[in-house]
Amino acid sequence: MLSLRRILLCATALLVSFSVHSAPREYGTVRVSEVTSIYDADTFTVNIQNWPGIVGERVPVRVYGIDAPEIKGQCPREKNLAQQAKQVTVAALRRARVIELRHLQRDKYFRILADVYIDNVKLADLLINKRLAYPYFGETKQKWC
């Protein structure tokens, strides 16, 4: 018969294993009905049709998997790059026929964190290819200055 101590050790090991290996919760894909504002290259606000107003109107969105320079950056170079990156995002979002948010999650600021596709082109890849963002998944950020 197993001792109580062995049972507790096994249960603890299982819990730790599940918490370490569990993926973040994802909530599918939605189509954006309107972009209401664009703050910078990787943060903007949208309306999502058929969602209740409390969660579907003026919803902040953060592009998953990238870090772009900040509008209120640390140096003139970062601020200049931030303006260029924002212009790319603005142009892409304005000419879009279809904007989809895929693999929805929530970030630590309660924004929607998602892969953003503009007419089936991934916004993160567009910015990375133009060297206006770099891949970012929570590790130490690179410096723009």
Side-chain angles (χ1 to χ4, degrees), residues 105-143:
Q105 301 174 48
R106 283 285 186 186
D107 75 359
K108 63 184 177 183
Y109 301 108
F110 207 64
R111 299 174 293 198
I112 289 178
L113 179 64
D115 291 323
V116 177
Y117 282 82
I118 301 169
D119 298 326
N120 275 329
V121 174
K122 194 173 180 181
L123 179 57
D125 293 345
L126 179 66
L127 290 164
I128 290 169
N129 291 339
K130 292 182 177 288
R131 295 191 173 134
L132 295 171
Y134 58 81
Y136 176 74
F137 298 98
E139 64 281 359
T140 302
K141 290 186 177 189
Q142 296 178 26
K143 304 281 187 205

Side-chain angles (χ1 to χ4, degrees), residues 42-58:
D42 57 12
T43 309
F44 52 94
T45 309
V46 301
N47 289 339
I48 301 171
Q49 192 170 7
N50 299 324
W51 277 24
I54 194 166
V55 294
E57 292 179 9
R58 298 196 48 77

Side-chain angles (χ1 to χ4, degrees), residues 70-135:
E70 299 298 328
I71 296 292
K72 297 178 181 178
Q74 300 293 316
C75 65
R77 178 179 183 273
E78 182 176 7
K79 292 175 185 178
N80 182 39
L81 288 170
Q83 287 300 323
Q84 291 177 47
K86 180 179 178 179
Q87 288 172 3
V88 168
T89 296
V90 167
L93 290 172
R94 285 190 178 157
R95 73 173 172 262
R97 285 179 278 149
V98 176
I99 302 168
E100 288 183 319
L101 307 178
R102 299 180 187 174
H103 310 114
L104 299 172
Q105 301 174 48
R106 283 285 186 186
D107 75 359
K108 63 184 177 183
Y109 301 108
F110 207 64
R111 299 174 293 198
I112 289 178
L113 179 64
D115 291 323
V116 177
Y117 282 82
I118 301 169
D119 298 326
N120 275 329
V121 174
K122 194 173 180 181
L123 179 57
D125 293 345
L126 179 66
L127 290 164
I128 290 169
N129 291 339
K130 292 182 177 288
R131 295 191 173 134
L132 295 171
Y134 58 81

